[in-house]
Amino acid sequence: MTDNLTLAAPVLQMTGIAKSFANTYAVRGVDFSAAAGEVHALMGENGAGKSTLMKILAGAFHDYTGEIRLHGRAVQLHSPAHAKAAGIEMIYQELSLVPQVSIAENMLAGRLPVKRGFLLDRAAMVAETRHWLEKVGLDCDPLLRVDGLSPHEAQRVEIAKALSNRPSILVMDEPTSSLSRREVEILFRLIRELKAQGLAVIYISHHLPEVFAVSDRCTVLRDGQRIVSRPIHEFTAVSLVELMVGRSVTESAIPREHEPGEVRLRVRQLTRKGFFHRLNFEVRAGEVLGIGGLAGAGRSEFARSLCGIDPVDDGEVDLDGKAYPGGDLCDAIRAGFAYLTEDRKSEGLALFNTALQNAGDAVIAGRRTLLPAAAAREGFARLAVELELLPPEPQRQAVQFSGGNQQKVLLAKWLATNPEVCILDEPTRGVDVGAKRVIHEAIARLADRGKCVILLSSDLPELVALSDRVIIMRKGRFVGEQRRGVFTEDSILLAANAEDGVS
Amino acid sequence: MSAPLASSRQLKISFTKRLLNALGIWCVLVGLVMAGLLAFPKFGQADNLLNILRNVTLLGIVAIGASFVTYGRHYIDLSIPPLMACVGLVTISAQPLGIGPSLLLGLTAGLAIGLLNGWAVGYLRLNPIIWTLAVSFFLDGFLRWAYAGHQVYPDADTTTGRFFLDLPQRTLPGGIPVGTALMLVLALAGHWLMTLTRFGRQLQLTGIAYDVAALSGVRVRRVVLLTFVLSAFTTSLAGLLLSALNRQGTFDTGQGYDFNAITAVVLGGVLLQGGRGNVLGVLGGVLLIGVLINLMTLLGIGSFGQMVVKGLIFMAVVGLTAWLTRRSGRSDE
């Protein structure tokens, strides 16, 4: 069946595409095609050129070279308007809807139906919106405000909005990053329907299982060049990763040198009303405690309160037998806590400061005076080597690093405080395979040095590979605990989803 | 190992680049002074140069404190003019109590207003422009009402009054006026505070990325509050000197200092986007304004025309820096 697809006439044919930024090629000589009724996965590490290629398709650049043919006809996609008119629609990770406005107005913005010249034709607006919402299987009032929708409903609205422009190519960039497993399946069902209706879908994701589940064909980019383009069933997870990384990867489970020791961190009855309730747990020296659960289970909220970023209503925390009196994040850092945020770009790094500055930002909280410049540089150089930062330039702005290396700088910022309790919230979200390995090894080393690590992650393989113990959180409560050797991705997922079936 | 080598080279490049950035405004200043020397023989005379320095002293003192607010990305404290008036009025009114208490009361009044602004902007997260505009309006009205629109005068017959009136005229050995010396000392201290201390470092992060600072353990609310207190502190000192210079305290002492200060700060390379620039640059901006005004006077441009030129310069600098930062990829919402 997939073989037939490759024979079908391509809707999109990109040949010899190249685009450079300041003398370095982001993509060069890339051939890429997409056929009607096919889901084409575009894979590659961060910086491989995926987003540049798709931005070219979206008309973001006017200075690319190479040829783009749509339905066999050569086109110039030199502005977003050109791309839209040519039938190309993009769905990004971050939704582009205006939350305070109704679904209908969001969808039909710019072409709202009018009657008698200037009056808003509400009936026509509702009818048209409903028509497109039905296409994505969403049965809700078109006059509902978008901020009243759950993330996955909002995403369907986004898709409906894209469909209402009657595209022939739909590009989805990491569409599942904010969705739970169940919502991902609903999305996949929709993608398959769209495919059956003859749409060409280009799917970008870092999640291998998703790619295998939903795509027909897969193209791998590396260093701006196309490495391979084949039907998905000719790949295995291992071969796909190897092609992306360009070297063979060892299996992801990280070995640990020591067994966990004495209990170091005790948390009793930690509560923030409306967010999480009566959480009790202990973490031992050298233990990685994983916290699993679906999006919205309250993991980040709990972690932020534990570190004094958000308030706590009740509960006791003690570290090494010493009661921790609470306070703000600054106090928590002095007490040995570290919190690596899940939102690198707006909460983690000052993107326009240098890597050196960023890496020193958290150290300052614990000190009365500045670290001498030489000591700061030395510490940075050590961490840069440990985390294989590329390039290891202290004076480079954070924004000039790739996503994976930005994440390494963020990790370095907290490692520099030499924390006793390290809370890592999605430490590898959106980073490439190479950076992920480095970060995982650094986490294992932390544990081997006797630190407590609390790992919050929606990435189940990561949770399974790193944790000594996993606590499952649901609706602000701990609902289960599983030890290493017992838990699997499936068992964690089942526990996280339990009683959450039909709502 | 190649990594440390590469990094030390990077460091050198960035150091010269930073030096150039910091000195950029001084280069412009030197250029303008050269032009002035060539065009007007009178310009280079010692008393003219000293006069320029004397004329920008108070503006400089205000701008040094105000630059901390800008550096922290809260633009400017618009209550600068009535704050200066308030300090002058309170100090002169309190002079029967003696020189020490009167100066202390005046400064306390100024710092209290700074504390109020810092609390409202830092802790309540109110819009700095709108809030300080409101405080400015309130304070202006309050001073007019409290003094029924009258001036107060220091009593030159008392030692306190004489000491106060003599303040701006005093010179240090070498003929440097006390105010100018104060400006230079404040500039050096401010530069040290902004670039070499823990507070300065935390303020830089707060200015360039507020949320990141908050999640790095910076007590952002306290840091923001302190910038407004610093601004109020130097503004109060300037208010004292200005009232002594005017030999009176009135509600409109300090008029125009808000706009002139932000012009000097921005001209000195402290970006409105926060977290960029330093106090020595601001000092350069202040001197540049002084030289410009002096040259315009020599060219026969009146004070109204000078206002127009100052406004144009401000627009050009703000427009240019916004354009440059956007082009360099530093987004500004």
Side-chain angles (χ1 to χ4, degrees), chain A residues 309 328-331 333-334 346-349 352-353 357 361 364-365 367-368 370 377 394-395 413-414, chain B residues 3 7 10-11 14 196-198 201-202 204-205 208-209 211-212 214-217 219 276 329-331:
Chain A
I309 299 164
D328 60 11
L329 177 62
C330 186
D331 295 320
I333 292 172
R334 285 177 185 167
S346 61
E347 293 183 342
L349 295 178
F352 298 98
N353 276 347
Q357 284 175 315
D361 282 342
I364 300 174
R367 299 175 53 94
R368 293 257 162 255
L370 277 187
R377 276 201 303 276
Q395 299 298 336
K413 164 173 159 179
W414 290 107
Chain B
S7 58
Q10 275 288 324
L11 208 70
S14 119
L196 294 171
T197 66
R198 176 177 185 258
R201 181 65 201 280
Q202 295 197 325
Q204 194 273 339
L205 186 58
I208 205 156
D211 291 335
V212 174
L215 280 170
S216 301
R219 289 177 165 140
R276 289 279 181 266
R330 228 204 108 183
S331 65

Side-chain angles (χ1 to χ4, degrees), chain A residues 411-434:
Chain A
L411 185 60
K413 164 173 159 179
W414 290 107
L415 291 182
T417 66
N418 196 19
E420 297 304 320
V421 179
C422 207
I423 303 168
L424 307 170
D425 198 350
E426 305 286 357
T428 62
R429 172 178 285 176
V431 311
D432 58 78
V433 184

